[in-house]
Amino acid sequence: MGRNVRHLLLTILIALPCGGAFAQLALVTGANSNISEISRAQAERLFLGRATTLGDNSPVTLIDLPPGQIRDEFYLRLTGKNPVQTRANWSRQVFTGRALPPRQADSAEQVRAWLIEDPNAIGYLPASAVAADLRRLLKIDD
Amino acid sequence: MKRLIACVSVMACSLGQAQAAGDWLVSGFGTVGAVRPSDSQVSLLRNGINTPGRDGIDFGADSVLGIQAGRNVAPGIDVTAQVIVREDQTGHVEPRVAWAFLCFNPLASMEIRLGRLRVPFFMYSESLWINYANPWVRPPTEVYGLNPFSDLDGADLTWRSQLGQYDLELRPFIGRSSLERQFKRARLKRVLGLNATVFRDDFSVHVGHAESPLSLPWSDPLFLAVDGALRQSGQGAVADQLSGDSGYARFDSVGLQWDDSRYLLSVEYARRAANRYIPSAHGWEVTLGTRLGQFTLYSVLARQSQDAPVSSAQLPVAQLQAGLDLFNASRNTAQRSVSLGVRMDVHRNAALKIEFTQAKVADASMGSFFPVEDSGIVLLSGRRINMISTSLDFTF
């Protein structure tokens, strides 16, 4: 799939309403990532800012999609927190020095690029957008 | 104050997300707040520190702007610095370093921070000024007025573990603290403490204890008058209980939070025990809230009670005793209050809050208020004071 076509597809997926094409979300990393596996509980702790490294103390970089329905849906499914709770929680974690905030990408394409570039990075995307250069770590269902 | 309001207004108008400047991640938070007590002769003391406002509306009690920069400097090592701007107890609005620390993980379950941290005595102490993260316009003063210290220059260690479905976090800390500007000789000289938190889903429980030698040299006119009279009357031992650098203070707190997507509950009990210079007191708060779309409605019950005055000495001369009683009462901040409020999440990163509070100051107490200059008021005992507070809290 050409880069432009993939970009267009990801952009369309991001723009689709909740409950549509991203009924399945996936926690993903680069195909050549250092991260081999992660438990759902571990992912939840990371995206709540309650843990800053993986279980073996290896570093991890969290990547957020830009604000929008996919991001809200991901946090709701993984952590059970709605958008207001999520933002309040992260502002507390960040401004009390407990965790650095996730790195925010401008687009799904940028998420993909950062995941490939950084072997310690994890992010999330609609399951249908996980191409061969990414590896799915967890399925994030309803 | 106008400079601060202008600053935070500009920030509020440019709400966005954290910006990457090189490898630094820069973000911030702020509040434009205004509080008006029904009694024009008093001003609110937030956390024991504030300068009385003018013309009845006080913008200084709650307004704050914070800018933070953090970056990863090596695998597993981060640095974070935060500067906040708010009105201090002398009325000055100047930037000051609130956090500046190096953080590293010697083990996956352990994190060590060295540098300037916040005094973490109570459940919301670290996020005291992160108003966007909290449900209220300000954390209940009945609890948070028990500790006016903010900085902890030292270190803490966070150890995390899992017990079945529960996450456990233990955090010992050590350091020292002093108040700002002319009160900087008020010091906690060697803080030692331990916090424990257990999380599960929407629920968390916090328990904390800390203690420190305390230095608190009062210099206000009332103290100077009472101190002088006591020493002239051969009551130097009693005068030594009022002010000096050989006190000892202990802080304890226990609290719980429940926050699912519909309801929120916060309950906390906190206690300050001191052997001299300040009263021993305890406070508690119960907050119950419910979310309806972008609105959060909440109510708060809170109370602070004095356990022991600064000095319990019984003096042989009635006038001396009256002076000592007045001094004791002027340091007592006991009161109770009930509040009703609404938070509206008006923007992705901004919340507007409106809160009504009715406070009743205890007998022989100042409550969480301060008489305005030239009011001629010495004590606020028994007064019932209403307050309307509004704030726009935001992050960027």
Side-chain angles (χ1 to χ4, degrees):
Chain A
M1 190 184 295
R3 182 183 171 87
N4 289 339
V5 175
R6 189 163 51 210
H7 192 172
L8 178 65
L9 177 59
L10 287 174
T11 305
I12 291 169
L13 287 167
I14 290 261
L16 285 171
C18 183
F22 63 89
Q24 290 226 331
L25 296 174
L27 192 71
V28 289
T29 189
N32 298 316
S33 164
N34 296 333
I35 301 165
S36 55
E37 59 178 8
I38 187 169
S39 69
R40 189 181 174 104
Q42 210 168 15
E44 188 177 340
R45 284 187 200 103
L46 287 167
F47 279 92
L48 282 171
R50 291 181 189 164
T52 54
T53 63
L54 296 174
D56 60 358
N57 203 24
S58 55
V60 61
T61 306
L62 306 181
I63 297 179
D64 257 343
L65 278 169
Q69 286 181 319
I70 296 185
R71 179 158 134 181
D72 292 347
E73 186 69 18
F74 168 75
Y75 277 96
L76 189 63
R77 290 185 191 179
L78 180 66
T79 69
K81 306 289 183 194
N82 66 30
V84 170
Q85 289 175 292
T86 298
R87 292 192 294 270
N89 174 65
W90 266 109
S91 63
R92 181 177 291 112
Q93 298 293 347
V94 170
F95 297 124
T96 61
R98 308 300 297 273
L100 291 178
R103 195 176 173 197
Q104 187 184 295
D106 292 330
S107 63
E109 182 64 24
Q110 193 169 48
V111 171
R112 193 188 69 85
W114 284 353
L115 290 173
I116 293 166
E117 176 187 300
D118 181 351
N120 298 317
I122 58 173
Y124 49 89
L125 287 169
S128 53
V130 182
D133 48 8
L134 300 179
R135 183 154 48 82
R136 188 163 77 180
L137 292 167
L138 281 177
K139 199 164 68 174
I140 310 293
D141 289 330
D142 277 327
Chain B
M1 194 68 251
K2 284 179 183 167
R3 261 195 314 170
L4 175 58
I5 297 293
C7 269
V8 291
S9 300
V10 168
M11 292 297 180
C13 292
S14 58
L15 288 174
Q17 287 297 313
Q19 299 296 311
D23 290 331
W24 289 91
L25 200 63
V26 181
S27 53
F29 61 92
T31 290
V32 183
V35 53
R36 184 185 176 95
S38 59
D39 188 330
S40 61
Q41 294 181 309
V42 304
S43 268
L44 172 71
L45 277 173
R46 173 172 170 155
N47 317 120
I49 293 180
N50 185 29
T51 300
R54 295 196 178 91
D55 306 324
I57 299 179
D58 188 355
F59 292 98
D62 301 309
S63 297
V64 64
L65 176 67
I67 307 284
Q68 178 168 307
R71 69 169 294 182
N72 182 259
V73 290
I77 302 178
D78 299 332
V79 292
T80 299
Q82 184 187 108
V83 172
I84 68 168
V85 185
R86 65 174 169 82
E87 187 180 83
D88 67 14
Q89 69 268 44
T90 65
H92 287 80
V93 178
E94 285 178 9
R96 55 183 300 278
V97 176
W99 296 85
F101 63 84
L102 185 76
C103 173
F104 60 99
N105 296 70
L107 301 168
S109 58
M110 189 182 291
E111 183 178 284
I112 294 175
R113 303 191 297 182
L114 300 168
R116 170 160 290 186
L117 312 170
R118 267 200 75 90
V119 164
F121 292 163
F122 305 147
M123 192 160 64
Y124 296 94
S125 288
E126 289 189 301
S127 60
L128 203 59
W129 292 96
I130 322 298
N131 297 313
Y132 178 83
N134 297 331
W136 325 272
V137 170
R138 72 191 71 83
T141 54
E142 286 83 354
V143 172
Y144 287 84
L146 290 170
N147 169 41
F149 291 91
S150 57
D151 306 327
L152 180 74
D153 292 325
D156 69 5
L157 181 154
T158 302
W159 178 76
R160 298 184 175 100
S161 180
Q162 283 84 49
L163 295 170
Q165 293 182 308
Y166 295 88
D167 286 353
L168 170 67
E169 193 178 281
L170 289 177
R171 188 145 58 107
F173 51 91
I174 185 170
R176 60 186 178 189
S177 184
S178 59
L179 293 186
E180 301 153 36
R181 298 182 71 89
Q182 91 244 38
F183 295 108
K184 65 186 174 191
R185 288 176 61 212
R187 286 182 292 141
L188 293 172
K189 295 187 277 190
R190 193 183 61 253
V191 179
L192 282 173
L194 175 66
N195 283 344
T197 310
V198 176
F199 304 93
R200 183 179 173 182
D201 301 329
D202 303 318
F203 181 71
S204 67
V205 175
H206 155 97
V207 181
H209 172 81
E211 55 186 73
S212 172
L214 169 71
S215 173
L216 188 46
W218 295 109
S219 58
D220 56 288
L222 175 59
F223 162 73
L224 293 173
V226 173
D227 182 68
L230 287 169
R231 292 189 189 282
Q232 278 178 8
S233 311
Q235 297 288 347
V238 177
D240 288 343
Q241 295 175 3
L242 309 187
S243 176
D245 64 357
S246 55
Y248 204 86
R250 293 177 173 82
F251 299 87
D252 296 285
S253 75
V254 57
L256 66 86
Q257 295 178 61
W258 167 275
D259 187 358
D260 65 15
S261 55
R262 180 114 190 244
Y263 297 106
L264 64 90
L265 171 70
S266 168
V267 180
E268 184 171 18
Y269 170 91
R271 186 177 64 176
R272 176 186 70 208
N275 63 348
R276 49 181 67 197
Y277 312 151
I278 44 174
S280 294
H282 67 271
W284 54 262
E285 64 91 5
V286 178
T287 301
L288 188 61
T290 181
R291 291 193 177 88
L292 301 165
Q294 64 176 1
F295 295 91
T296 305
L297 307 174
Y298 61 91
S299 57
V300 190
L301 278 178
R303 183 167 195 156
Q304 186 188 117
S305 306
Q306 181 174 270
D307 298 321
V310 178
S311 170
S312 304
Q314 296 298 312
L315 299 171
V317 180
Q319 274 185 320
L320 273 183
Q321 186 67 54
L324 180 63
D325 290 346
L326 183 60
F327 177 83
N328 279 335
S330 71
R331 270 62 183 169
N332 181 9
T333 54
Q335 69 170 31
R336 65 176 193 262
S337 71
V338 56
S339 301
L340 294 172
V342 58
R343 168 187 172 129
M344 291 163 278
D345 282 85
V346 293
H347 181 278
R348 200 169 174 90
N349 295 308
L352 179 67
K353 297 172 187 167
I354 302 172
E355 190 174 296
F356 171 80
T357 299
Q358 183 174 80
K360 172 110 176 359
V361 178
D363 290 338
S365 174
M366 301 295 287
S368 60
F369 298 94
F370 192 84
V372 297
E373 213 171 337
D374 303 326
S375 65
I377 298 172
V378 180
L379 289 179
L380 300 170
S381 310
R383 286 197 185 213
R384 202 176 288 276
I385 299 168
N386 297 330
M387 280 189 299
I388 287 279
S389 307
T390 62
S391 70
L392 178 67
D393 305 327
F394 56 90
T395 62
F396 55 92

